[in-house]
Amino acid sequence: MSRTPRLSRIVGKGLIKSYGPTVALRGVSLTIELGKLLVIEGANGSGKSTLLGILGTVIKPTAGTVVYEPLGDDLLAVRAEIGWVSHETMAYPDLSGRKNVELAARLVGLDADEAWKRAATRFELGPFAERPVRTYSRGQRQRIALARALTHEPSLVLLDEPTTGLDKAGVSRLLAVVDEEVARGAAVVVVSHEPELFRERAGARLVLDRGRVVEAVTG
Ligand SMILES: Nc1ncnc2c1ncn2[C@@H]1O[C@H](COP(=O)(O)OP(=O)(O)OP(=O)(O)O)[C@@H](O)[C@H]1O
């Protein structure tokens, strides 16, 4: 199964975010194209996670807009098109990996058993599937997080520091998933302190410095 992405383009304009006295974003504009990888780079505190949070609709900008073409501002429809993997795994720690994936599938109206079988094969979840997620290693947690986030074949895939703590095999597996998602037609946005890992496959690149775009390469 592979469904057609429902988003065609995501356009952010004049994004500003203040957390009290701290200004995390100072007027960021960007266009995200489907079927491409965008890598967001920048030093600690430059606003990368904040920007990702705004794109993922979990952080409200102080000013500026994000338009999810052609869905506009229908938040429920837009959220159904987003797959998100952050520093935290976003999985329920006391449930098994299998239950976590099944739950994610049910939440979006998919057949839980079919979704599980697809994810188990794609992310090689079998060996640890029945144990609670709290017993997983970093790499295993990340495989479950990816499986959960990608179950519904989102148009926009947001990955915050996805290589942190992964070994070589884990990084290779992640890069293969990124390639597959881009080939499927999704827009993949990666925030990373290891941009060189993604550079040769990145269609576009955005560098932030203290809340401003200092370099933008469109692919
Ligand atoms: N919830 C919050 N409350 C207050 N300040 C925040 C909050 N979230 C982020 N900030 C501040 O906003 C700025 C940008 O943070 P952000 O996490 O977006 O940067 P980042 O580039 O992702 O950093 P890192 O590379 O360290 O993850 C920082 O100064 C940070 O301290």
Side-chain angles (χ1 to χ4, degrees):
M1 178 190 86
S2 190
R3 70 181 187 89
T4 312
R6 289 186 62 211
L7 295 180
S8 57
R9 213 163 65 130
I10 300 106
V11 182
K13 280 200 186 133
L15 295 168
I16 294 174
K17 178 66 187 177
S18 304
Y19 298 101
T22 306
V23 187
L25 294 180
R26 298 169 185 269
V28 168
S29 297
L30 77 170
T31 298
I32 300 169
E33 306 283 353
L34 274 277
K36 280 190 182 169
L37 168 63
L38 164 68
V39 178
I40 300 177
E41 305 174 26
N44 288 133
S46 57
K48 305 180 298 296
S49 295
T50 299
L51 179 57
L52 211 66
I54 290 173
L55 294 171
T57 78
V58 295
I59 295 176
K60 198 171 163 4
T62 309
T65 54
V66 182
V67 177
Y68 300 84
E69 298 175 1
L71 298 178
D73 55 5
D74 178 347
L75 206 58
L76 274 185
V78 167
R79 283 192 174 153
E81 291 302 312
I82 294 173
W84 172 285
V85 178
S86 73
H87 304 262
E88 298 88 36
T89 60
M90 324 262 293
Y92 295 99
D94 291 329
L95 294 183
S96 68
R98 179 182 185 134
K99 285 267 180 276
N100 264 285
V101 173
E102 288 177 349
L103 193 61
R106 275 199 204 99
L107 284 174
V108 291
L110 294 176
D111 182 282
D113 197 46
E114 262 178 40
W116 162 250
K117 283 182 184 142
R118 261 200 321 276
T121 306
R122 184 177 184 197
F123 298 101
E124 298 167 52
L125 305 175
F128 47 88
E130 309 300 338
R131 276 199 271 134
V133 164
R134 65 182 143 71
T135 68
Y136 287 10
S137 71
R138 161 82 204 169
Q140 291 166 340
R141 271 167 203 261
Q142 206 224 27
R143 274 142 81 179
I144 288 293
L146 283 168
R148 276 176 55 95
L150 302 178
T151 295
H152 57 302
E153 301 195 316
S155 302
L156 178 60
V157 177
L158 304 172
L159 306 175
D160 199 352
E161 298 289 358
T163 53
T164 306
L166 293 187
D167 62 12
K168 264 194 182 166
V171 170
S172 303
R173 197 178 289 116
L174 175 83
L175 293 175
V177 169
V178 167
D179 288 345
E180 286 160 17
E181 291 301 301
V182 169
R184 173 172 75 74
V188 180
V189 181
V190 177
V191 163
S192 182
H193 284 291
E194 299 177 289
E196 59 287 350
L197 288 174
F198 298 94
R199 211 162 266 159
E200 70 181 38
R201 42 186 35 95
R205 192 167 153 244
L206 193 78
V207 184
L208 293 180
D209 180 23
R210 285 161 285 181
R212 290 186 207 282
V213 176
V214 289
E215 201 181 330
V217 178
T218 49

